[in-house]
Amino acid sequence: MRTPDKVSGCLILRFDFHIKRFTIKKKEKVMFTMSDKIVLTGIKPTGMPHLGNYVGALKPLVEMSKSNKTFMFIADLHALNFMRDAAALRRHTYEIAAIMVALGLDLKNAVLFRQSDIVEVSQLATMLMNVTPKGLMNRAHSYKAATDKNAAAGLDIDAGVNMGLYTYPVLMAADILLYNSDIVPVGADQKQHVEFARDIAGYFNHIYGPTFKMPVPEIGRDTGIIPGLDGRKMSKSYGNVIPLFAPAPELKKKVMRIITDSRLPGEPKDPDTLTIFQLYKHFAARDEVAAMHGQLLAGMGYGDAKKILFEKMDSVLSAPRMEYERLMNNTAELDKILDDGAARARVVAAETYKRVRRAMLG
Ligand code: ADP
Ligand code: TRP
């Protein structure tokens, strides 16, 4: 057992971020209160995100990066349990990096990197395996979903389950603990994994003395559920999505396909039940939203409302879309950003790993 004061020196890892001044546009100075909390999240590289991901996850993360020291990595190791195409994985990794930069991720505060560039994460996962009860993994939602599906199909419960999927939460705990994270913003489906990281940190600290901080999951701010083209929650699994950076003609086609009822122009519509209006709310300014609300009640036709929605979305998304396309044509620039991020992440990772090694191996 290590003595607490021997360890406490290692635990003073606070970043000196308090109040900083950021230049937003040319002359407009804005004060952000910098918190000294460390925010960390991982995004799996599985293809172009949709507008639900943008409103519910990516946009809030970009906002958060303005006032917190943020570690944001592309979870390519986590994708390996189901992705077998290295070229596609590489391309999707660039896509996520380009999207975050194009959306304005603050690269001063945010450390953007590839998960696989930091070898310490795999080393830490190996160490954490030894304090993680197997029963914890048996209870993981993602593993249980696979075994339930197999059982329902009359197959061996572990059919098609690889160890990457089974031990997924241990690698995720390593991600979280390696960077001394305080806050882990995730979707509701990932909350259990963050709780497992807390459990694993607790087991470790109990055996080896205080070594890890306790991270706290933060479930998406209340942005509401963004409806998809068919009115259900926008989701990859429903095939009803609008891709975040769809080219303008495709965006227009998708918007025109949003399902409506058969009310005619001139008939009053209830804005709060309309997908068109729910989407518009997230892109337009307050007075524009109020104006469309009034016009729908007064009988605005769906065709006109869709046209306004498309134009608004396109005007908000066209600059980041252009930047995204520019970056995707300049992957050397993305490599540089990711390499810089990895160098910054490695400093913290090496320090934590050294502490763990000392605790476990002497
Ligand atoms: P999908 O349902 O398309 O598979 P994910 O589960 O990968 O989406 O979601 C990733 C993140 O995006 C989640 O953290 C969630 O907060 C956000 N998100 C996904 N769909 C929506 C939606 N329709 N509305 C709001 N947020 C969403
Ligand atoms: N498992 C997360 C997902 O599927 C991605 C992820 C990997 C992550 N490591 C993480 C999220 C660490 C937060 C913290 O979306």
Side-chain angles (χ1 to χ4, degrees):
M1 230 10 196
R2 304 174 64 93
T3 58
D5 52 351
K6 232 168 137 189
V7 175
S8 63
C10 304
L11 287 178
I12 302 173
L13 286 156
R14 294 158 56 98
F15 287 83
D16 270 336
F17 279 83
H18 295 296
I19 303 274
K20 277 202 176 164
R21 195 177 278 274
F22 288 90
T23 305
I24 295 296
K25 279 183 196 150
K26 257 200 176 140
K27 286 189 189 131
E28 185 190 340
K29 299 253 185 184
V30 175
M31 294 289 282
F32 289 111
T33 305
M34 292 297 291
S35 112
D36 59 1
K37 298 272 186 231
I38 298 173
V39 175
L40 170 137
T41 201
I43 304 175
K44 261 193 309 195
T46 54
M48 176 59 76
H50 53 71
L51 291 182
N53 302 141
Y54 165 68
V55 173
L58 305 180
K59 205 166 149 217
L61 279 176
V62 168
E63 286 309 310
M64 219 175 204
S65 78
K66 292 177 180 155
S67 48
N68 292 279
K69 171 83 181 173
T70 307
F71 287 93
M72 190 175 295
F73 59 88
I74 301 153
D76 52 357
L77 293 176
H78 270 115
L80 288 177
N81 74 73
F82 62 96
M83 276 190 78
R84 303 290 190 228
D85 179 343
L89 192 48
R90 190 175 165 75
R91 193 176 59 253
H92 291 330
T93 297
Y94 281 136
E95 283 166 1
I96 300 293
I99 286 168
M100 295 319 291
V101 175
L103 291 178
L105 185 72
D106 186 328
L107 289 172
K108 279 194 291 326
N109 298 332
V111 181
L112 180 67
F113 62 105
R114 284 188 185 88
Q115 182 186 29
S116 61
D117 276 347
I118 310 299
V119 292
E120 284 85 350
V121 80
S122 306
Q123 293 173 315
L124 180 58
T126 300
M127 299 301 223
L128 295 180
M129 296 279 179
N130 301 289
V131 298
T132 304
K134 176 171 175 284
L136 199 64
M137 299 298 98
N138 292 341
R139 290 201 297 277
H141 296 325
S142 44
Y143 173 63
K144 267 182 65 81
T147 54
D148 288 352
K149 204 165 146 203
N150 283 335
L155 299 168
D156 181 294
I157 59 158
D158 283 326
V161 174
N162 58 49
M163 289 304 284
L165 172 63
Y166 188 60
T167 62
Y168 187 103
V170 182
L171 179 58
M172 188 154 155
D175 290 326
I176 294 170
L177 302 178
L178 191 59
Y179 303 101
N180 310 304
S181 318
D182 294 297
I183 301 170
V184 186
V186 282
D189 62 321
Q190 295 295 313
K191 184 167 176 249
Q192 186 202 41
H193 289 151
V194 184
E195 283 161 356
F196 281 6
R198 288 172 64 87
D199 292 341
I200 293 171
Y203 300 138
F204 192 102
N205 289 349
H206 180 70
I207 300 168
Y208 292 105
T211 307
F212 293 122
K213 272 196 210 169
M214 283 290 161
V216 177
E218 184 172 288
I219 308 307
R221 304 240 169 93
D222 192 17
T223 50
I225 290 178
I226 305 301
L229 299 178
D230 58 1
R232 290 185 293 173
K233 174 188 175 222
M234 188 178 287
S235 169
K236 279 192 291 283
S237 36
Y238 295 145
N240 62 357
V241 308
I242 303 180
L244 171 57
F245 289 142
E250 186 189 333
L251 178 63
K252 186 166 190 178
K253 231 175 16 209
K254 296 266 185 200
V255 169
M256 292 304 165
R257 272 183 41 205
I258 293 173
I259 287 180
T260 54
D261 59 27
S262 55
R263 269 176 286 183
L264 298 169
E267 289 185 59
K269 326 273 184 311
D270 175 9
D272 297 327
T273 62
L274 285 186
T275 298
I276 303 171
F277 185 69
Q278 296 311 312
L279 286 170
Y280 190 67
K281 275 198 322 206
H282 289 283
F283 289 88
R286 198 182 288 230
D287 55 334
E288 294 170 319
V289 174
M292 185 186 272
H293 193 271
Q295 285 164 329
L296 284 165
L297 288 174
M300 175 190 252
Y302 290 130
D304 290 342
K306 285 179 176 180
K307 193 161 167 282
I308 295 172
L309 171 63
F310 161 70
E311 278 161 9
K312 178 49 67 183
M313 279 180 166
D314 194 49
S315 74
V316 171
L317 295 173
S318 71
R321 184 202 296 134
M322 267 164 62
E323 175 62 357
Y324 167 78
E325 280 160 7
R326 189 191 71 75
L327 287 163
M328 287 303 286
N329 288 318
N330 288 285
T331 50
E333 194 174 325
L334 291 173
D335 279 325
K336 163 113 185 39
I337 291 171
L338 292 171
D339 289 350
D340 283 354
R344 289 162 70 194
R346 204 169 284 125
V347 174
V348 182
E351 163 63 31
T352 306
Y353 184 65
K354 212 163 94 193
R355 197 160 77 228
V356 171
R357 234 196 104 100
R358 218 185 304 122
M360 292 185 94
L361 294 169

